Amino acid sequence: MGPGSFIGIDARIWQALIAGTVVALGWLVNGWRMRNDARQLRRERTRDAHKALFAEIRTVCAAYWNEGEAEVDRNRLVARMEAEPDFVPFIPREVHDRVFETMLPEIDLLPRQTIDVIVSFYVLVRSIETLSDDMRDESFAALSADRRIAIFRDWHAMRARAFDNGQLALRLIETYAENGAEAADALLARSMRLSSRVADRSDREGHTG
């Protein structure tokens, strides 16, 4: 085999190496594009999920808040229940988790900064709906007036707590959308510290009361 043959072999090897490098680079670029597209799609789906949940949570909070009249209504009805032992308040049938129920199969779309608060909110909403159904049953009307009043107060307290949780969820969704995950983390941390201080103060007041 003469010197020309080695030159030919070397040329073919270089061509193969160049072709292989081009193919490998193509795979890398395509892989990066696919991952980038997947991340972008996930961000869009997360944004859409947040928007839908934001609308539903805001509606639920409005129903529980009743334009600031919820506490007034509670006091008025409790006063009537105390004055009229046979009076049983009408409890409306409420369903406030249609969007959330639809999203459950893809709940992992939500980021960790919002998912816990949102899920906790809807767990409380479901508990309120269950208690509402119980209060619409004849067995509730058959209870003593004192027992009905206690349950009614608990029902309103749960709605007030759900309102507070819902407000936090709304702020977290807005913060995440406008300022990113770090800002949402900071808001969540501040909220947890505040809740801890309130709980500690309530415990101390309970022990000294």
Side-chain angles (χ1 to χ4, degrees):
M1 183 179 292
S5 300
F6 288 106
I7 295 174
I9 292 173
D10 289 343
R12 287 194 296 272
I13 291 174
W14 279 110
Q15 289 173 357
L17 288 172
I18 292 171
T21 301
V22 170
V23 170
L25 287 174
W27 286 342
L28 290 173
V29 171
N30 286 336
W32 176 84
R33 285 178 177 172
M34 291 177 64
R35 289 191 297 273
N36 188 60
D37 290 346
R39 286 193 294 268
Q40 180 63 27
L41 178 60
R42 184 179 179 85
R43 283 194 293 267
E44 292 175 357
R45 294 173 68 192
T46 297
R47 183 169 60 248
D48 291 343
H50 271 160
K51 285 182 178 179
L53 288 169
F54 186 94
E56 183 169 71
I57 293 171
R58 184 170 56 184
T59 299
V60 178
C61 286
Y64 289 168
W65 179 244
N66 191 25
E67 297 182 351
E69 296 297 315
E71 187 172 350
V72 174
D73 290 342
R74 181 202 63 190
N75 294 338
R76 175 176 56 82
L77 287 171
V78 167
R80 183 175 177 185
M81 293 171 75
E82 290 173 338
E84 305 175 28
D86 293 333
F87 171 69
V88 179
F90 173 74
I91 305 299
R93 180 80 172 94
E94 296 179 302
V95 179
H96 293 306
D97 56 0
R98 294 304 191 202
V99 172
F100 181 74
E101 285 289 329
T102 301
M103 285 188 52
L104 275 178
E106 297 183 310
I107 195 67
D108 61 330
L109 283 174
L110 300 180
R112 63 176 178 79
Q113 289 81 7
T114 63
I115 188 170
D116 288 346
V117 174
I118 289 174
V119 170
S120 296
F121 169 78
Y122 278 103
V123 168
L124 188 52
V125 166
R126 177 60 62 86
S127 297
I128 294 169
E129 292 174 356
T130 300
L131 183 56
S132 297
D133 288 341
D134 291 341
M135 294 170 69
R136 291 168 60 86
D137 191 79
E138 293 180 359
S139 60
F140 176 73
L143 296 173
S144 67
D146 289 344
R147 183 60 179 151
R148 288 199 305 270
I149 291 172
I151 294 174
F152 186 76
R153 288 183 182 276
D154 287 344
W155 180 71
H156 262 279
M158 290 170 65
R159 290 165 69 91
R161 188 161 67 252
F163 175 83
D164 291 339
N165 288 6
Q167 292 300 297
L168 175 57
L170 294 177
R171 292 196 301 273
L172 281 171
I173 292 173
E174 281 186 323
T175 301
Y176 185 91
E178 295 174 2
N179 301 307
E182 290 186 4
D185 273 327
L187 172 59
L188 186 58
R190 289 196 302 272
S191 175
M192 292 178 66
R193 288 195 298 270
L194 177 60
S195 296
S196 178
R197 288 197 295 269
V198 170
D200 289 344
R201 184 164 62 249
S202 297
D203 288 343
R204 289 195 299 271
E205 292 173 353
H207 288 310
T208 59

